[in-house]
Amino acid sequence: MYIKKILWAIALIGLVIFAVIAYYIYGAMFQPNTAFNNETAYIYVPTNARYSEVREQLEPLLDDIETFDALARQKKYTSNIKAGRFAIEKGMNNNEIINSIRSKNLPLKIAFNNQNSLEDLAGRISTQIEADSLSLINAMTDEDFLRENGFTRATALGMYLPNSYEFFWNTSAKNFRDKMLKEYNRFWNDNRKSKAEELNLTPNEVITLASIVHEESKQADEQPRVAGVYLNRLRIGMALQADPTLKFAAYQLPQYKNTIIRRVLNIHKEIDSPYNTYKNRGLPPGPIAMPDLSAIKAVLNPEKHSYLYFAADAKRIGYHKFAKTLAQHNNNAREYQRYLSSQGINR
């Protein structure tokens, strides 16, 4: 009888211990364990991250980090970290959180436009994905990649078409570049290539001209007319004489660093640069900035007219007055120069 009581007592104690362990395991796995008020929180797990780095991000988001640690060890998450961007929903338990951050890498939308250089673009992209700006620049300017895909350092910016795209946060610099090449090739379908050929331009040249059109006019409804002027000039062998190319050439010189040229002067027309379209006929070596898609569309679908000149319209800021003769253009230009002087804009 005495032995039976002892055995019953041991069994009872065992059941209590088992119940405590079961309750702890249940709590560790299935009790809600979030400590934030928003509906969703995100963590960003770097490539080759250690568990301590993940834990550091999770700790302020969880009520009980210790129970999470215990389950993470049990489910071997601590030795099998996945890189990416992961969502944690309010009210999730530890089991759901581990399942989410182990297998549900979420893509995100990244966007860019109006970048003046590859360096600017790399800086912009590096704030949106894991790759840093240096690795992005190295990938974008890789000589073998450029040569194999028909680009030069001067034309490389034209490969990146401004838009929004879907990427995983942990995308590498090379994978970003390679996907943008696919987007570029998709954009240049047979229809657009045919239109470029009709204009006697390559895709790179279309984007170079579009960059000038975009810098001349941000007005989408006017860009086809501006494109028509430049195409007329190219057709007859006339110099483009595009003021934005003078600004671009000037900004490459030390004396113009960290300055803003608001008024193009005769001194700028003397700059010795392949981008000086007053001195050099034809298109410059590459785009002077990233053109909007509207400007590319304008070049491919230009307005057909006989204008050869245009000058900024002092009465309609942002738009231009167009002229067929140099005499008419000079009158329009003088009117705008007087406007600039009246505003105290001398350089």
Side-chain angles (χ1 to χ4, degrees), residues 269-287:
K269 298 177 183 177
E270 299 304 317
I271 294 174
D272 186 16
S273 167
Y275 289 88
N276 183 342
T277 57
Y278 278 79
K279 279 191 169 187
N280 304 286
R281 294 181 185 276
L283 290 164

Side-chain angles (χ1 to χ4, degrees), residues 121-180:
L121 175 61
R124 168 79 172 158
I125 298 304
S126 68
T127 66
Q128 301 179 75
I129 63 174
E130 182 183 13
D132 60 49
S133 57
L134 180 59
S135 64
L136 285 162
I137 279 292
N138 288 338
M140 291 172 177
T141 58
D142 180 79
E143 291 184 3
D144 291 336
F145 171 83
L146 294 176
R147 183 174 57 255
E148 289 168 5
N149 292 287
F151 295 98
T152 65
R153 181 63 173 81
T155 61
L157 181 63
M159 194 188 90
Y160 302 89
L161 300 172
N163 212 328
S164 61
Y165 301 94
E166 191 172 88
F167 281 92
F168 288 108
W169 174 78
N170 55 311
T171 298
S172 70
K174 287 185 178 180
N175 285 344
F176 170 78
R177 176 203 66 192
D178 292 347
K179 180 172 179 178
M180 293 311 303

Side-chain angles (χ1 to χ4, degrees), residues 98-112:
I98 291 172
N99 288 342
S100 177
I101 66 178
R102 182 159 59 187
S103 60
K104 297 180 180 178
N105 187 7
L106 297 175
L108 48 74
K109 290 282 188 182
I110 72 166
F112 57 87

Side-chain angles (χ1 to χ4, degrees), residues 3-124:
I3 293 175
K4 285 185 177 181
K5 288 182 178 180
I6 292 175
L7 292 174
W8 276 108
I10 292 173
L12 184 61
I13 292 170
L15 286 172
V16 170
I17 292 173
F18 176 79
V20 170
I21 293 173
Y23 179 78
Y24 179 80
I25 293 174
Y26 177 85
M29 291 187 67
F30 301 116
Q31 288 294 322
N33 190 27
T34 56
F36 51 86
N37 294 322
N38 294 334
E39 289 301 314
T40 308
Y42 295 93
I43 66 169
Y44 296 81
V45 181
T47 301
N48 300 320
R50 299 184 300 274
Y51 178 67
S52 59
E53 297 173 79
V54 180
R55 190 183 193 275
E56 185 177 0
Q57 291 192 58
L58 286 172
E59 188 166 9
L61 302 176
L62 305 185
D63 281 326
D64 188 345
I65 191 66
E66 283 76 19
T67 60
F68 182 86
D69 288 337
L71 190 60
R73 287 191 295 270
Q74 182 184 336
K75 298 190 72 169
K76 296 183 172 51
Y77 172 75
T78 55
S79 58
N80 190 23
I81 309 296
K82 302 295 185 183
R85 170 180 176 260
F86 303 98
I88 301 172
E89 305 293 338
K90 182 179 180 180
M92 271 186 169
N93 57 49
N94 288 332
N95 192 55
E96 291 169 329
I97 294 170
I98 291 172
N99 288 342
S100 177
I101 66 178
R102 182 159 59 187
S103 60
K104 297 180 180 178
N105 187 7
L106 297 175
L108 48 74
K109 290 282 188 182
I110 72 166
F112 57 87
N113 64 352
N114 305 138
Q115 306 301 303
N116 289 325
S117 65
L118 287 176
E119 288 76 14
D120 289 344
L121 175 61
R124 168 79 172 158

Side-chain angles (χ1 to χ4, degrees), residues 176-189:
F176 170 78
R177 176 203 66 192
D178 292 347
K179 180 172 179 178
M180 293 311 303
L181 175 63
K182 290 180 181 178
E183 296 292 340
Y184 174 88
N185 289 332
R186 184 177 296 116
F187 176 83
W188 283 105
N189 55 31

